[in-house]
Amino acid sequence: MPRRRRLRLLLLALLMCGGVAQAQDLAAPAAIIAMVDAGQFKAAESAIAAALAHAGTDATTRSVLEFQRERMRRIRLDFSLDADATKARVRQQIPDLDDAEFAAWDAAGLLEHQFIDGELRYFKRAPSNLFLLGEAARARRVKAAPPQVGPMEVANAHHREVRDAALASGRSSVAPRHVRVTQSISVHADAVPAGEIVRAWLPYPREIAGQQEHLRFEASVPRRHVLAPASALQRTVYLEARAKAGEATTFSVTYELDVHAQYHAVDADKVVPAAATPELAPYLAERPPHVVFSESLQLFSRQIVGEEKNPWRIAQKLYAAVDRIPWAGAREYSTISNISEYALHAGHADCGQQTLLLMTLLRMNGIPSRWQSGWIYSDAGYDNMHDWGWLYIAPYGWVPMDVTFGQLDSDDPAIAGFYLGGLDAYRIAFNDDYGRELVPPKTHFRSETVDLQRGEVEWSGGNLYFDQWDYDFTWQVLPRRQGAHGPNDHADSGEGT
């Protein structure tokens, strides 16, 4: 793709993240984005101020520039530690840490940092990530603590249940669980002036045949709400409330649904290349800023794929390669200008970063891929935000992939490879794509420009970022309803009272 067109698509995508749909004069914004990526914040700010002061700067370019100013603010929030503060946090686990040891781990890329205007700044999660990424650091801890993993990241009876049920029935959608969920947002007291209207978007699932069914809206706080249509790929419940002095402003939504597990027993010898139909074309294409067929990703792909031509075996190789990237706590996605490229080079990645990297590599090899994300939970005790994806394998169709759960520790290859072609029944998908417009649209920039799991909040004075509100997800896995019949009247009405 020519450089000029790539920059145009990149900036168009960034504009979409901010709720603007067109871009015009792009050369100056591209240079400013590069300055922000390089940590040249003072130069970027000077360039932004000059461009905004220029009468000829159009509205869409202004929006790009204003978001870059906001991105710098968010990066500073993420990279909030200096070297002394980072060492102090590591010494809470390794009291006798010396400077040479710290410097060696830092040089090895185990402590994420960047220079901002020449000042060395560390990611606020770098001290805890060190013990996920560095074996020597883990061994030096005063108190050993095994990594915390979710129950589905370890081979268990549910994986066997799903596979056995799929093979016995000949169906790919099996072993459903019924779950009741309440998701909430609490805006901090006085974050918004008293009397002002606070606007909130809470994630809400779509009905997806064979995956999420019998969706039933139960309640919201406030009661009056606007439910985005089922066609919205990042679906929400929209709520409004008036801020009161000294009080938190709260929002919640409660619903129930059946979640089905998935299992596809793919025979590589039966797999053929997918035809590039109009329906599949969007899932084979680049989609800047985060799905770009860069030279570095093309080189990585060639090294992994080699001479393999079978799409399923290519997918297995790429899945294994991305699975080898260690998981670590992630900076906010809105601060990263190209997530798949970041995941390749950072030395670690979280679930969404791994998924976008794998999606890019698959598309690069002619294998359609798409995004899904939401929340994972358990029969009791564990829950978390999570991202995964789907790939299209002919003649089987769309099959799921969860590269973050990756290869399970099992002697049975079918169970070990469960998450390439299988999904558990302990996850709700809120998003069938990333970075899509909300309904109703936001006026101000989104806090999360890619995903939508915590929600979004704003008022007339601007967006409310994650440091201004809290979120919660509570659930109950319940006996499955017998004779359930799809959503109630509110679920697709678009508005409740």
Side-chain angles (χ1 to χ4, degrees), residues 377-393:
Y377 48 89
S378 62
D379 286 317
Y382 178 86
D383 71 288
N384 208 345
M385 294 178 282
H386 193 52
D387 307 334
W388 61 95
W390 293 72
L391 70 161
Y392 189 90
I393 296 294

Side-chain angles (χ1 to χ4, degrees), residues 30-95:
I32 291 168
I33 291 168
M35 289 179 197
V36 175
D37 286 343
Q40 299 168 358
F41 285 13
K42 290 179 180 177
E45 176 56 39
S46 295
I48 290 168
L52 293 177
H54 193 276
T57 302
D58 61 86
T60 52
T61 302
R62 287 177 181 275
S63 185
V64 171
L65 297 174
E66 288 165 354
F67 181 74
Q68 292 309 305
R69 180 177 275 168
E70 170 64 8
R71 187 160 76 101
M72 288 189 285
R73 187 187 76 85
R74 296 179 183 187
I75 291 171
R76 288 190 181 279
L77 289 174
D78 270 358
F79 287 81
S80 58
L81 303 177
D82 61 16
D84 288 341
T86 306
K87 290 176 187 176
R89 293 195 184 186
V90 175
R91 286 191 175 112
Q92 292 175 1
Q93 302 291 327
I94 307 174

Side-chain angles (χ1 to χ4, degrees), residues 426-445:
Y426 290 88
R427 62 184 69 206
I428 297 174
F430 299 145
N431 306 295
D432 265 337
D433 203 351
Y434 64 92
R436 293 303 186 187
E437 186 103 344
L438 303 184
V439 180
K442 284 201 76 186
T443 301
H444 302 286
F445 297 125

